[in-house]
């Protein structure tokens, strides 16, 4: 049965950005995003961004939309509200000392082509051969990029995890737009998009079953599974499609998220002029 919003009920609509809500043009929104945000505001719902990106990068999206009710960054290392001072802001970082100790014991340049560190005020990149011990700030994420063909992921992860311990989250990503290079992203323990959504839902006193999430990638899996209902756009990774409750017919380029949210709110209000944009998964 197709998911529908309950009448006279408030919801949180939360979405990933890259590959889900944004088009491929930098900072570009599908035209229906503006109608979507107006309908969300008019009906008393909440709109939340949950991204692996930083706030300073996402800020331009906020300025275009003009209304974001909470913002989750670095896949949960930061949870904040851009307008409310009484929102219980959450930040969790990795000590520079922990990263430096790991780098002293691992010859990172034996497999890495570039590393990045992202902090509250700083975002620094090291090219191959640079002194990685020059890190001078705590990080929301530490990123190690490498070529797929050079080393096996289990070996890389084992080396890093052995030196840093179990108190951190390790994610493996394909680099955007590249098929031969990957990266390991190291994050503080307990940080994820689902943990960020829990904090936001508690603040607004919205039950989990009334949280609707849209995502397309590896760092969306926990949120797709945790939310009361979840969708993946047609361009999502197969693992995201398998995790989501429903797969949308449209891609992010075609406005999958705003069109679906408009459809859901219109149906909640007894309007049916919008056609359906969802197809159901089938068990094979």
């Amino acid at each position: 049965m197709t998911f529908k919003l309950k009448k006279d009920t408030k919801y949180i609509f939360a979405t990933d950005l890259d590959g889900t809500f944004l088009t491929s043009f930098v900072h570009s929104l599908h035209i229906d995003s503006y109608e979507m945000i107006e309908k969300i505001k008019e009906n008393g719902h909440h709109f939340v961004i949950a991204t692996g990106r930083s706030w300073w990068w996402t800020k331009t999206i906020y300025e275009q939309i003009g209304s974001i009710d909470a913002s989750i960054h670095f896949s949960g290392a930061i949870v904040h509200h851009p307008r409310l001072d009484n929102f219980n802001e959450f930040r969790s970082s990795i000590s520079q000392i922990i990263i430096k100790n790991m780098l002293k014991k691992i010859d990172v340049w034996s497999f890495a082509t570039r590393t990045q560190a992202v902090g509250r005020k700083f975002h620094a990149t090291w090219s191959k051969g640079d002194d990685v011990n020059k890190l001078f700030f705590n990080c929301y994420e530490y990123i190690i990029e490498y070529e797929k063909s050079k080393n096996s992921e289990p070996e890389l992860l084992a080396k890093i995890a052995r030196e840093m311990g179990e108190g951190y989250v390790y994610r493996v990503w394909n680099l955007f737009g590249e098929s031969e290079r990957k990266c390991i992203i190291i994050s503080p323990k307990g940080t994820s998009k689902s943990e960020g959504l829990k904090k936001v839902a508690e603040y607004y006193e919205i039950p989990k079953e009334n949280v609707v999430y849209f995502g397309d990638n590896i760092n969306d899996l926990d949120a797709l599974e945790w939310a009361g209902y979840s969708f993946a756009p047609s361009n999502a990774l197969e693992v995201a499609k398998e995790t989501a409750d429903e797969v949308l017919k449209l891609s992010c380029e075609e406005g999958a998220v705003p069109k679906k949210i408009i459809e859901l709110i219109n149906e909640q209000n007894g309007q049916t002029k919008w056609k359906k944009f969802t197809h159901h998964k089938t068990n094979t």
Side-chain angles (χ1 to χ4, degrees):
M1 180 168 56
T2 301
F3 172 72
K4 293 184 179 181
L5 305 182
K6 297 177 183 176
K7 192 172 180 60
D8 300 322
T9 302
K10 305 306 179 188
Y11 286 81
I12 290 174
F13 294 101
T15 183
D16 168 54
L17 290 181
D18 297 282
T20 305
F21 187 61
L22 297 182
T23 69
S24 56
F25 297 102
V26 177
H27 294 176
S28 181
L29 304 175
H30 188 276
I31 190 62
D32 287 331
S33 301
Y34 301 98
E35 179 181 354
M36 174 208 76
I37 203 67
E38 287 304 315
K39 284 191 176 291
I40 288 174
K41 289 192 295 184
E42 288 171 3
N43 289 273
H45 302 302
H46 302 283
F47 184 66
V48 175
I49 284 176
T51 178
R53 297 270 192 177
S54 66
W55 165 245
W56 51 90
W57 189 95
T58 309
K59 190 177 179 182
T60 57
I61 308 302
Y62 167 76
E63 291 170 346
Q64 290 183 70
I65 292 177
S67 180
I68 295 174
D69 294 307
S71 191
I72 299 166
H73 302 278
F74 302 120
S75 301
I78 295 178
V79 184
H80 79 141
H81 196 300
R83 292 180 287 109
L84 295 182
D85 293 333
N86 66 342
F87 186 89
N88 189 17
E89 184 177 285
F90 172 82
R91 293 177 183 266
S92 182
S93 61
I94 306 172
S95 167
Q96 58 180 290
I97 297 173
I98 297 294
I99 295 174
K100 284 181 178 179
N101 287 339
M102 180 268 290
L103 294 173
K104 286 178 182 177
K105 297 178 180 179
I106 296 177
D107 179 11
V108 69
W109 295 130
S110 67
F111 55 81
T113 55
R114 186 171 69 170
T115 72
Q116 296 184 60
V118 186
R120 183 164 189 168
K121 296 181 180 179
F122 308 100
H123 187 154
T125 300
W126 288 257
S127 299
K128 188 164 187 175
D130 290 339
D131 183 1
V132 290
N133 287 292
K134 285 185 176 180
L135 178 65
F136 63 91
F137 54 90
N138 296 338
C139 307
Y140 295 125
E141 289 182 340
Y142 191 76
I143 304 167
I144 301 174
E145 301 179 14
Y146 59 96
E147 296 177 4
K148 283 184 183 179
S149 59
K150 191 168 185 180
N151 290 278
S152 67
E153 289 164 14
E155 180 183 354
L156 298 184
L157 286 170
K159 286 182 178 180
I160 295 169
R162 182 169 59 247
E163 299 303 332
M164 292 190 64
E166 297 180 355
Y168 304 92
V169 178
Y170 307 98
R171 298 183 179 94
V172 177
W173 284 74
N174 286 316
L175 290 178
F176 289 113
E178 299 190 38
S179 59
E180 297 305 319
R181 297 178 67 214
K182 301 186 79 170
C183 66
I184 294 171
I185 300 178
I186 306 170
S187 305
K189 185 177 181 180
T191 59
S192 66
K193 291 188 178 183
S194 60
E195 288 297 323
L197 288 174
K198 287 178 186 177
K199 293 177 175 63
V200 174
E202 287 171 2
Y203 176 82
Y204 286 111
E205 298 182 338
I206 299 289
K208 169 184 171 178
E209 56 266 27
N210 294 344
V211 177
V212 181
Y213 188 75
F214 299 82
D216 78 305
N217 216 317
I218 293 171
N219 68 335
D220 295 305
L221 300 183
D222 61 289
L224 288 167
E225 187 170 350
W226 177 84
Y229 211 83
S230 61
F231 297 92
S234 64
N235 58 282
L237 294 181
E238 285 304 313
V239 66
K241 291 179 180 179
E242 292 168 2
T243 305
D245 293 304
E246 294 190 29
V247 179
L248 297 167
K249 289 182 179 179
L250 302 182
S251 68
C252 62
E253 298 286 338
E254 297 170 307
V257 173
K259 281 181 165 65
K260 187 61 187 179
I261 291 176
I262 292 170
E263 175 190 304
L264 289 170
I265 294 176
N266 281 343
E267 287 181 339
Q268 186 185 36
N269 294 333
Q271 301 169 333
T272 58
K273 68 175 184 176
W274 274 71
K275 58 186 177 181
K276 310 298 183 187
F277 291 103
T278 306
H279 72 74
H280 299 289
K281 296 185 294 184
T282 57
N283 295 322
T284 57

